[in-house]
Amino acid sequence: MVKLLKKDRVKFYSIITLVAIFGAIVLLGKKADDIDMISSLTSANYIAMILNNIYIFYIFTRCKKIKSIYDKIICRIGSKKFFYLYVINIIVDILLYFFIVDISLYLKLGINYDLLHFFIVFQLLRFSCFFMEELISMLIFLNKNGNLFIIIPIALNVIFHYFVSPVLVEYFLGVI
């Protein structure tokens, strides 16, 4: 299963690296005094709508590719081991995606170390949102026509960015 996804994973992360660097340099513009990595992660539509949706599309294509050989994998290694390996791959993918996006933002904008506790809480909530999106995408394996399952992760991404993130900013920082 891992060998099947190796080329796709390398291609996806090279594309996401280029897009993240391009976005950090061009779309975020000049560094203002009050804009840092944390404020960019919580409020930049570029990250939430472009990069995260590219990642959701990657999730969907990966699930569709694995679904094509799902029955053969289950017969060979069993469903318990398959889902264990799949969840491990999910966690690695999410952490690698966060690393690429956060490093590109950090190199451009820096970080306000006074808000480090907020950054840690935000990243944990962001990780749990992405993990839920990945688990929802796993429903493709159980359904014959799983094309509708791409809508739910995109909706979760929008809800997290426009509803959860502002509430977190207001709670931790007192301002939006």
Side-chain angles (χ1 to χ4, degrees):
M1 179 172 73
V2 174
K3 290 179 185 178
L4 173 72
L5 300 174
K6 192 174 269 186
K7 283 184 183 178
D8 289 343
R9 186 178 274 169
V10 169
K11 185 174 23 172
F12 168 73
Y13 283 114
S14 60
I15 289 170
I16 214 66
T17 302
L18 291 174
V19 171
I21 291 171
F22 171 77
I25 292 171
V26 176
L27 296 177
L28 294 176
K30 293 182 179 179
K31 182 184 180 316
D33 292 337
D34 60 342
I35 297 176
D36 65 344
M37 182 174 121
I38 297 169
S39 64
S40 180
L41 277 173
T42 57
S43 63
N45 289 332
Y46 147 73
I47 296 166
M49 296 299 118
I50 296 174
L51 290 178
N52 291 356
N53 286 334
I54 290 172
Y55 182 77
I56 290 169
F57 180 72
Y58 167 69
I59 294 169
F60 184 70
T61 56
R62 180 186 60 206
C63 287
K64 291 295 252 183
K65 185 173 271 191
I66 292 175
K67 184 181 178 181
S68 67
I69 61 167
Y70 174 73
D71 295 330
K72 295 174 183 103
I73 292 174
I74 294 299
C75 290
R76 292 182 78 190
I77 65 172
S79 63
K80 195 174 198 178
K81 187 172 181 181
F82 167 76
F83 286 113
Y84 172 76
L85 289 173
Y86 196 77
V87 168
I88 295 298
N89 278 312
I90 285 173
I91 293 170
V92 168
D93 278 346
I94 293 171
L95 292 176
L96 193 55
Y97 171 73
F98 281 4
F99 180 75
I100 291 170
V101 171
D102 294 349
I103 288 297
S104 65
L105 288 174
Y106 175 75
L107 292 176
K108 171 69 177 181
L109 301 173
I111 191 167
N112 184 353
Y113 291 106
D114 296 335
L115 302 174
L116 199 55
H117 64 286
F118 170 69
F119 176 71
I120 292 169
V121 170
F122 181 75
Q123 290 293 69
L124 288 173
L125 288 174
R126 193 170 157 221
F127 179 83
S128 62
C129 181
F130 271 83
F131 194 70
M132 276 192 334
E133 291 170 2
E134 291 264 13
L135 292 178
I136 289 169
S137 70
M138 285 176 61
L139 294 174
I140 291 173
F141 298 132
L142 305 175
N143 195 341
K144 288 184 181 179
N145 187 9
N147 293 337
L148 294 176
F149 289 114
I150 194 169
I151 296 170
I152 298 170
I154 291 173
L156 280 174
N157 183 32
V158 170
I159 289 169
F160 183 79
H161 179 67
Y162 286 110
F163 297 107
V164 175
S165 187
V167 169
L168 281 173
V169 170
E170 186 176 328
Y171 178 76
F172 275 96
L173 306 179
V175 292
I176 290 183

